[in-house]
């Protein structure tokens, strides 16, 4: 069983809605990540948080807004999304940013934008 | 620009038929080469990390190896439950983070 928990597993939203994806880990990891994965494509990095501070933003549109309330939680706030934003959103964590340790992924949140 | 290229894109094997998946990489200051398994609609499941050329790691029917330019994932006597997409990813140095993924190899093991 994965130790990175993502909710909800599935989300359907309209282009005018505001919703949030949540991620939680209790492994004591200090780096957390958001990835986006389209069908039959590899995961693409969106954001990296290190010690609860945003350290990498891979030129993601502002309609995606990350938040890291504490070392165990990571949110992704969604607003005014487009249908092409439909994808599997993956959260991951690792011991620390900048080390060589592996990333552990959650099961993902499947987002459909109508 | 960092690149991770996997081949083949898809592979269909009979149960018990051994084979290898390839991952070639061009990454400055490699700080880890990772293999993940991903089942449909699920997040990637960590398999191995390799750090230096010549390193090998094994887990059940899987063995991963690393050279200075590529990594191989050898599958010995596979079973249908080994069917999945296998992703290779590289982590680079220079202060950047996250993983650069290859497009994956979709492996199907037929009974």
């Amino acid at each position: 069983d994965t130790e990175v928990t993502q909710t909800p597993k599935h989300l359907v939203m309209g282009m005018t809605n505001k919703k949030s994806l949540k991620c939680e880990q209790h492994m004591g990891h200090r780096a957390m990540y958001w990835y986006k994965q389209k069908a039959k494509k590899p995961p693409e990095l969106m954001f990296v948080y290190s010690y609860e501070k945003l350290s990498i933003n891979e030129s993601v549109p502002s309609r995606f807004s990350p938040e890291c309330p504490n070392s165990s939680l990571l949110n992704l706030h969604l607003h005014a999304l487009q249908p092409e934003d439909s994808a599997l959103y993956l959260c991951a964590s690792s011991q620390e940013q900048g080390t060589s340790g592996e990333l552990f992924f959650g099961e993902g949140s499947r987002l459909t934008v109508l | 620009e960092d690149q991770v290229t996997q081949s083949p894109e898809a592979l269909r094997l009979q149960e018990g038929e051994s084979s290898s998946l390839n991952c070639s990489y061009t990454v400055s200051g490699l700080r880890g080469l990772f293999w993940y398994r991903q089942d449909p609609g699920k997040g990637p499941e960590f398999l191995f990390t390799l750090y230096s050329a010549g390193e090998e790691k094994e887990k059940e029917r899987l063995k991963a190896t690393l050279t200075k330019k590529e990594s191989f994932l050898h599958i010995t006597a596979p079973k249908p439950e080994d069917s999945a997409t296998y992703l290779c990813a590289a982590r680079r140095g220079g202060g950047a983070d996250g993983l650069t993924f290859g497009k994956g190899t979709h492996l199907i093991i037929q009974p």
Side-chain angles (χ1 to χ4, degrees):
Chain A
D1 289 341
T2 180
E3 296 183 70
V4 177
T5 304
Q6 291 187 242
T7 57
K9 293 189 185 305
H10 300 277
L11 178 63
V12 179
M13 60 186 291
M15 289 190 285
T16 58
N17 291 157
K18 286 185 179 181
K19 297 286 185 182
S20 297
L21 305 181
K22 297 184 184 299
C23 174
E24 189 170 1
Q25 59 89 12
H26 294 289
M27 295 179 282
H29 290 173
R30 302 313 300 266
M32 297 185 77
Y33 310 76
W34 280 114
Y35 279 82
K36 173 182 177 178
Q37 187 176 25
K38 303 280 278 184
K40 299 188 186 299
K41 299 288 187 182
E44 296 179 353
L45 182 65
M46 300 174 72
F47 302 104
V48 181
Y49 271 83
S50 178
Y51 290 87
E52 295 113 71
K53 292 185 179 180
L54 183 65
S55 63
I56 295 178
N57 177 339
E58 291 286 355
S59 302
V60 179
S62 59
R63 57 186 184 269
F64 295 92
S65 175
E67 178 195 20
C68 190
N70 60 54
S71 60
S72 300
L73 295 174
L74 185 66
N75 299 321
L76 185 63
H77 303 298
L78 314 171
H79 174 54
L81 295 191
Q82 303 296 311
E84 57 265 30
D85 296 322
S86 298
L88 182 68
Y89 288 85
L90 295 164
C91 174
S93 69
S94 67
Q95 285 190 330
E96 286 185 26
Q97 184 184 9
T99 65
S100 303
E102 55 269 21
L103 273 63
F104 292 93
F105 286 85
E107 299 263 298
S109 292
R110 172 73 60 189
L111 174 67
T112 302
V113 182
L114 301 176
Chain B
E1 184 181 337
D2 295 343
Q3 281 195 333
V4 177
T5 304
Q6 292 187 246
S7 62
E9 290 186 11
L11 182 62
R12 189 182 297 266
L13 300 172
Q14 294 295 316
E15 184 173 0
E17 181 184 359
S18 301
S19 188
S20 296
L21 312 182
N22 177 267
C23 171
S24 62
Y25 62 91
T26 307
V27 175
S28 59
L30 183 74
R31 295 176 66 187
L33 189 291
F34 301 81
W35 283 98
Y36 286 84
R37 168 193 171 128
Q38 187 172 26
D39 293 302
K42 305 283 188 180
E45 175 189 347
F46 170 73
L47 293 174
F48 304 108
T49 310
L50 302 165
Y51 293 107
S52 56
E55 190 174 0
E56 298 182 354
K57 289 193 177 173
E58 288 188 65
K59 179 181 179 181
E60 296 180 354
R61 296 177 291 281
L62 300 175
K63 183 169 83 172
T65 62
L66 183 67
T67 71
K68 289 185 178 180
K69 293 183 178 181
E70 55 192 351
S71 177
F72 293 93
L73 184 66
H74 308 277
I75 302 177
T76 301
K79 299 182 178 181
E81 54 262 41
D82 295 321
S83 298
T85 295
Y86 290 85
L87 295 165
C88 171
R91 192 167 198 167
R92 59 185 166 96
D97 211 349
L99 298 177
T100 300
F101 281 88
K103 292 184 177 181
T105 293
H106 181 50
L107 177 66
I108 298 174
I109 308 300
Q110 294 179 314

